[in-house]
Structures are given as structure tokens and as C-alpha cells.
Amino acid sequence: MGKPAKNAFDAQVFLAKVGEGKSILQFQKGQNVFVQGDRADTVFYIQKGRIKLTVLSDQGKEAVVGILGSGQFFGEGCLNGHRQRICTTTTMENCVITAITKTAMIATLRDQPQFSEIFMAYLLTRNRRVEEDLIDQLFNSSEKRLARLLLLLANFGTEGGPQPINPTISQETLADMIGTTRSRVSFFMNKFRKLGLIDYNGHIKVYNSLLSAVLHDKPQLKLEEGGS
């Protein structure tokens, strides 16, 4: 295999270093990167850490709509004409984040095909995840929704997974994301542990048996008490 061209574009180097229209930011746990309603003029890339996305309704009700980790973009709505942020992003642990102005992002997408491919692949994956989440909410029980969420958070199906789930993701957050109560999440978590599908002692460890239970719709995921 030939050596890459001397001036070949390296997407990872681009995302990891300061440059024109690009800065590296560090956030402590619990800080907002941006707040719902803020001006949208920057795309962000997570080098290290996790963030959660929340939305506040007109009635003042807050909902967690996503959790993102290393290697993922957010705030890309500004490229699609969004002038204001439609959600709030909050760090769940100490984070290192690359901020790229809208102008710099558009120029790089236009001039660097390799970066465009990476970003397009991310958008397609994100869109598929949104569609799957909608189907999940419409057709699956809260128990199965929790099982799927745990698999996603543990990075099942990705090159680097599976990994233990960070303890900063609380049962309240899990409940918000699947549309149920914390007590229901606690009940299901205890049940999954008794069945040997997960284990938790600080970090949550997800076993392959949970994936098998979801894929094959095994009976143990149909034993909810009460409604979903």
C-alpha cells in the first residue's frame, strides 16, 4: 500500500487541533455547552467525555432526548438553517470539545471530501438512530426500551464496544429517555441483574445475554408488572 500524500487531509488531526474558525474547549462536569434558545452558529465535536441533550417544553417540563460521547458531533442543526438551539447540552463528566464555526465547517465540507464522507456517515447514523428511537417508543414496552438503551450506552455494535456504562448516567436519566418512572427503571434493572443480563457496582456492565434477549424477544422481557 502506497504512502499517503504529504499534504493529505487528516480528519482526526483537523478535529483535534486549533485552527482558523476552530478552537478546543474544556468543560467541567455539569456545565452547559449551549442552552435551548441560544444563537446557533457553531458545530461541536466531542474529543473526550459525554454530554446529555435535554429539551424544555413551553409548560416547563424537561426531557432527556439523547446522550452523546467521544467521536460524535452535535449542534449541526446550524448547518440546516437553525438560527437558535432547539435543545440544551450539558456535560455529564469533564469534557474536551472542538468548536467549529459554521463558516469554517461549510468550507471544510466543501474543500475536503474525506471529511465530508465522515460527517455524512455520522449524519446518516444519527438519522437512523432517531428513526429507531421513534419506533422503539411507539411499539416496545418500557422494559424492552430500557434494554435497548443500555445496549446503546454500552456501545454494543460499535468497534470500541462493549464498554461499562458510566455511573454519571442515573436511573432518573434513563427513565427520562425511555418515558417511564425511576421506580420502574429500578425494578427492571434489578430484574436484569437477577437474570444475569447485567451487573452493576458503580459502573453498569451489560452482557451479551441482554442483546440476545432483545434480538430474540425472549419471554423474560415480557414480564412487566403493570403497564409500560
Side-chain angles (χ1 to χ4, degrees):
M1 182 179 292
K3 294 182 179 180
K6 185 176 181 180
N7 296 321
F9 179 82
D10 189 318
Q12 294 305 317
V13 171
F14 169 78
L15 290 166
K17 291 187 176 181
V18 173
E20 184 176 354
K22 184 160 53 78
S23 57
I24 308 301
L25 308 175
Q26 296 193 26
F27 292 87
Q28 300 297 310
K29 177 182 175 182
Q31 286 188 286
N32 292 329
V33 180
F34 56 74
V35 176
Q36 186 173 333
D38 283 354
R39 181 181 176 184
D41 57 6
T42 306
V43 178
F44 298 92
Y45 175 81
I46 305 172
Q47 291 192 38
K48 179 183 178 182
R50 284 180 183 263
I51 67 162
K52 67 176 178 179
L53 285 62
T54 57
V55 174
L56 189 67
S57 71
D58 292 337
Q59 293 73 37
K61 184 177 180 180
E62 185 179 77
V64 179
V65 294
I67 293 176
L68 303 178
S70 301
Q72 293 186 286
F73 294 89
F74 63 100
E76 69 275 6
C78 68
L79 302 175
N80 194 34
H82 290 176
R83 296 184 178 181
Q84 293 182 315
R85 301 297 186 187
I86 61 174
C87 67
T88 294
T89 52
T90 308
T91 58
M92 304 183 71
E93 54 195 74
N94 294 345
C95 292
V96 178
I97 294 174
T98 303
I100 311 168
T101 65
K102 177 180 177 180
T103 301
M105 189 72 175
I106 291 174
T108 306
L109 290 170
R110 181 187 63 233
D111 300 336
Q112 303 294 345
Q114 182 186 0
F115 183 73
S116 296
E117 289 178 9
I118 292 172
F119 190 65
M120 181 63 71
Y122 163 77
L123 292 178
L124 291 172
T125 300
R126 182 86 169 266
N127 185 64
R128 185 186 66 189
R129 168 73 186 275
V130 170
E131 292 177 346
E132 290 173 348
D133 285 349
L134 178 59
I135 293 170
D136 200 31
Q137 290 286 344
L138 289 174
F139 297 110
N140 289 330
S141 68
S142 55
E143 183 175 17
K144 195 168 183 179
R145 293 199 301 272
L146 176 60
R148 176 175 173 269
L149 178 58
L150 291 175
L151 291 167
L152 289 168
L153 291 175
N155 294 326
F156 269 83
T158 65
E159 292 182 2
Q163 299 291 329
I165 299 173
N166 196 298
T168 57
I169 302 176
S170 66
Q171 291 190 358
E172 287 83 0
T173 297
L174 295 173
D176 283 344
M177 294 186 71
I178 65 171
T180 189
T181 63
R182 191 209 62 78
S183 61
R184 297 288 289 166
V185 167
S186 179
F187 171 76
F188 295 140
M189 292 286 283
N190 287 327
K191 176 180 171 182
F192 292 167
R193 182 165 61 176
K194 290 176 181 178
L195 290 169
L197 305 178
I198 67 170
D199 193 12
Y200 56 93
N201 183 14
H203 289 77
I204 302 171
K205 186 174 183 179
V206 179
Y207 296 119
N208 287 324
S209 52
L210 181 63
L211 177 62
S212 177
V214 171
L215 291 177
H216 298 95
D217 202 19
K218 290 186 177 180
Q220 58 257 39
L221 292 182
K222 297 181 178 180
L223 300 178
E224 294 191 59
E225 292 184 355
S228 63

